[in-house]
Amino acid sequence: MSEQSEHDFEDRLAQVLRRTGDGFRPDGPHLVAAGAARGHRRQRRQLALVAGAAAAVVAAGGLTAVVLPPGGGAAAGPAAGRSGGPSGAAADGPSLVSVLAERLPAGVRVLRSAGDRSGVAGLRVAHETAELTLDDGHGASLVTVLVSDAGGRQVKSGCPLSNSSNEACEVRPGPDGGSLTVGAMDPDPGPRGTGTAAFTGPDGLRVVLSAYSFADQEHQDRTRPTPVLTPDQLAALAADPVWATFRSGLSPDDASATDAFGPDGPPVRLSELLPSGLRVASASEWVGGQRLTAAQDGHELVLTVRAQRADRAARDWFAAAPAGADGVRVRATAARDVPGSQGATESAVDVLRPDGVRVRVTAVNPAGAGSPDAGKPPLLSAEQLRGIALDPRWAAPGGGAQ
């Protein structure tokens, strides 16, 4: 996907999120009403965005407490050796991918997954997202989840979920006084191609799950008549109390500003820091973060960077890592398995600079069941991620340390 089409994708995302009343204001206006054959494609994209379009929103989280020793960087590529630290480190928090995967019906395979992990002293974000491509034996189907905190803001909920004239939608009572909006829709005649369930809790917690009859956000070519999960299954998942465990990592702050890193806009593009040989398929930016999907010789990488001023909890967390001669503290983990993903792995490097700016870079190998890349390290080594995180041009939105 070209850079221009990715920005168009984000524009469409912003309008659908406003229309569904999630209370966010991502990057701008979107969604042109469809017409004829091209219109069908646009409507399918619109329906895909109701869930939050995890591929283009926000990534964030925490890391393990493993401290990497200094050393040379490994070459990019799936053959790079695994150098991960011990599993089950205390700083690990829940993973959206894992939580969703653990609640799937029996017999469903995870073909691809990418998402966020929160943890001790994690970077607070407005949304946590994940996307999984699943197969129950009848074709691949994309499922996305978005968890957010509306805080004290008024959140619109209810029907309709979109402006599609072919939408079936209803509002149901949710647990603990919350509300569930459940819908199914498709721009074409025949079986419904998209199902969505949105739970809004009385405390402002918002959970949106969607399932689609296509396998990925980029192409959206129909792979099955109906999604892998029914609207009722999505509703049960959305109302699960487990999502409240992510609340501590969420911020109700509005993330709609156009500057991604500081008042003058992004001083560096993540794509500029990639080693040669990696081809960028898509890229997106938001306040304090950037994300891209890249590939090399058929192997895929999802790379995320976030910058934020470190608070007291983060500075205390970094105290376990010795400061280098330049005053920089680094905590990292390499090529750990993502539980429940059936093959995905992730590496992460978290840096605290002397000026109080914290930079986190995460690389994910999204490959799942049946992929020859399942279980292999991400395309970039931890040392390469460390080099990206230490680029001095990263800056936290709003200025220096607190």
Side-chain angles (χ1 to χ4, degrees):
M1 181 181 289
S2 68
E3 184 174 347
Q4 178 61 40
S5 63
E6 178 66 23
H7 287 307
D8 183 50
F9 178 82
E10 291 180 3
D11 287 344
R12 290 196 303 276
L13 167 63
Q15 186 175 346
V16 170
L17 283 176
R18 285 196 299 272
R19 184 178 296 124
T20 56
D22 286 330
F24 325 132
R25 291 187 295 121
D27 289 337
H30 106 298
L31 215 52
V32 178
R38 187 162 186 256
H40 289 312
R41 168 74 55 124
R42 283 186 174 270
Q43 263 193 311
R44 282 193 293 270
R45 288 177 184 267
Q46 170 192 343
L47 301 179
L49 298 175
V50 174
V57 198
V58 175
L63 321 164
T64 67
V66 181
V67 179
L68 283 181
R82 185 181 293 248
S83 58
S87 61
D92 278 351
S95 162
L96 276 178
V97 168
S98 302
V99 168
L100 182 55
E102 290 166 357
R103 286 159 175 76
L104 294 174
V108 174
R109 297 196 308 160
V110 180
L111 304 182
R112 181 189 182 278
S113 61
D116 307 335
R117 181 188 292 259
S118 62
V120 174
L123 289 149
R124 288 173 62 83
V125 294
H127 325 74
E128 289 211 37
T129 63
E131 59 177 18
L132 291 79
T133 300
L134 310 175
D135 190 352
D136 58 357
H138 302 287
S141 176
L142 180 69
V143 175
T144 63
V145 57
L146 182 148
V147 182
S148 63
D149 181 5
R153 297 193 306 275
Q154 187 70 26
V155 176
K156 176 187 174 184
S157 60
C159 298
L161 285 167
S162 76
N163 63 358
S164 172
S165 60
N166 192 22
E167 174 188 286
C169 182
E170 65 173 312
V171 178
R172 307 174 184 176
D176 302 322
S179 174
L180 270 169
T181 304
V182 185
M185 60 205 87
D186 197 298
D188 301 311
R192 303 285 179 177
T194 299
T196 296
F199 170 73
T200 304
D203 57 356
L205 185 69
R206 177 80 165 165
V207 182
V208 184
L209 281 111
S210 287
Y212 310 99
S213 55
F214 51 78
D216 63 80
Q217 297 280 10
E218 184 175 355
H219 301 101
Q220 301 188 15
D221 296 321
R222 195 157 189 156
T223 52
R224 50 188 293 145
T226 58
V228 66
L229 299 178
T230 67
D232 286 341
Q233 288 174 313
L234 292 171
L237 286 169
D240 194 307
V242 70
W243 307 113
T245 61
F246 293 89
R247 180 132 200 184
S248 62
L250 297 173
S251 170
D253 296 337
D254 177 52
S256 62
T258 57
D259 57 319
F261 285 91
D264 298 322
V268 60
R269 297 260 191 252
L270 184 54
S271 57
E272 299 171 2
L273 304 180
L274 294 180
S276 60
L278 280 172
R279 177 186 60 83
V280 176
S282 64
S284 59
E285 300 177 5
W286 61 92
V287 174
Q290 295 184 30
R291 182 183 184 186
L292 60 78
T293 300
Q296 182 182 51
D297 300 326
H299 310 290
E300 190 179 5
L301 167 75
V302 181
L303 188 65
T304 303
V305 62
R306 287 191 58 85
Q308 191 175 94
R309 289 169 293 168
D311 59 16
R312 171 56 61 184
R315 292 195 294 270
D316 290 345
W317 183 67
F318 272 100
D326 55 1
V328 173
R329 298 178 186 269
V330 180
R331 301 189 69 165
T333 189
R336 63 182 173 190
D337 297 331
V338 179
S341 67
Q342 301 180 32
T345 62
E346 62 181 356
S347 299
V349 171
D350 215 342
V351 168
L352 178 63
R353 300 193 318 224
D355 62 1
V357 173
R358 178 185 181 187
V359 182
R360 177 183 186 253
V361 182
T362 303
V364 173
N365 162 22
S371 170
D373 287 339
K376 293 184 178 180
L379 283 172
L380 298 185
S381 69
E383 281 301 318
Q384 288 173 310
L385 300 183
R386 177 174 176 152
I388 293 173
L390 290 175
D391 190 287
R393 291 172 290 178
W394 296 123
Q402 292 178 331

